[in-house]
Amino acid sequence: MESQLPAELLERIERCGVVAVLVVDELEHAVPLAVALLDGGIDAMELTLRTPVALDALKAIRAQVPDMLPGVGTVLTPEQAREAVNAGAAFGVAPGLNPRVVRAAREVGLPFAPGVATASDLEAALELGCREVKFFPAEPTGGMSYLKSLAAPYTHRGVRFLPLGGLKPDNVREYLSSQLVLGVGGSWIAPRDAIRQENWDAIRSSAAQARAIVNDVRGGGM
């Protein structure tokens, strides 16, 4: 089964290991946030489409922080998939699986990973041609033990996962150690309040901690 994500994108996400998941409320925070993440060693981010400035933040990062790989999350409608492409999104993800959104993303050329939590979700994603999927919410659903059981009947299809939900430094190693996991979503790296307070030092430090964990588990670096 072929991937819907370009090989270069897959390699970039796997190498980064932890994709910073972000909620940006103020446009002026976008660029310094991206710079802080890069300074800490994280060069892939998911800007969630939960605020009015998310797409403008994406455009600003694209223009001013070219070394960052910016994707979008919480893509819930076909229109959002089209808007994300127009804003320059490198990829898109969603918490669940909406066939209309998957098809729209393919039509506009947005590399896209829908969310799954059950075998039925995963079969539906595979039917739609999605080999890479988001596993959400990872920890509340059952964590890595559950993911291994969920994936077992489908590993011959080449499916890989982007877990998100309840991940943090003390449990992320188990995910990163698995061949099932392409990368993980790290919402702990830059909490919404830290962004609002412009606490770039704390975000830089959290990014560096995440980078160190990835390097320890998977080896190498940026």
Side-chain angles (χ1 to χ4, degrees):
M1 180 178 179
E2 293 185 3
S3 174
Q4 298 294 317
L5 276 62
E8 182 180 353
L9 175 62
L10 290 172
E11 190 276 335
R12 182 84 176 266
I13 293 174
E14 188 163 27
R15 177 163 49 87
C16 188
V18 179
V19 178
V21 179
L22 313 161
V23 181
V24 177
D25 293 286
E26 303 293 338
L27 181 57
E28 59 265 29
H29 292 161
V31 169
L33 170 60
V35 170
L37 291 169
L38 272 181
D39 287 347
I42 297 298
D43 68 341
M45 68 194 323
E46 173 198 325
L47 285 160
T48 59
L49 300 182
R50 303 180 199 173
T51 67
V53 305
L55 290 172
D56 286 334
L58 172 63
K59 293 176 184 176
I61 291 165
R62 269 294 197 196
Q64 299 181 53
V65 194
D67 290 336
M68 176 59 71
L69 180 74
V72 293
T74 324
V75 182
L76 304 181
T77 67
E79 183 59 30
Q80 285 181 318
R82 288 188 283 269
E83 291 172 347
V85 166
N86 291 336
F91 62 90
V93 298
L97 192 152
N98 182 330
R100 293 176 60 240
V101 176
V102 173
R103 295 188 186 103
R106 183 175 299 120
E107 288 171 5
V108 299
L110 175 68
F112 188 73
V116 304
T118 68
S120 295
D121 293 341
L122 185 51
E123 288 194 16
L126 290 168
E127 184 71 18
L128 289 163
C130 300
R131 194 179 74 181
E132 289 79 27
V133 293
K134 180 176 178 177
F135 172 43
F136 179 82
E139 281 292 294
T141 300
M144 196 63 219
S145 176
Y146 174 87
L147 179 57
K148 289 176 181 176
S149 297
L150 171 66
Y154 307 100
T155 51
H156 65 289
R157 301 289 299 274
V159 64
R160 298 190 76 188
F161 298 86
L162 290 158
L164 172 66
L167 275 67
K168 47 193 175 182
D170 62 3
N171 64 18
V172 74
R173 290 174 181 270
E174 184 180 12
Y175 290 89
L176 290 169
S177 299
S178 173
Q179 290 297 312
L180 294 170
V181 173
L182 178 64
V184 302
S187 56
W188 81 87
I189 296 173
R192 193 172 189 174
D193 284 346
I195 298 172
R196 285 171 167 166
Q197 295 164 12
E198 302 182 0
N199 196 343
W200 311 131
D201 286 341
I203 291 169
R204 188 180 299 108
S205 177
S206 293
Q209 179 188 35
R211 177 79 261 148
I213 293 171
V214 174
N215 289 349
D216 185 48
V217 175
R218 294 186 168 182
M222 286 179 63

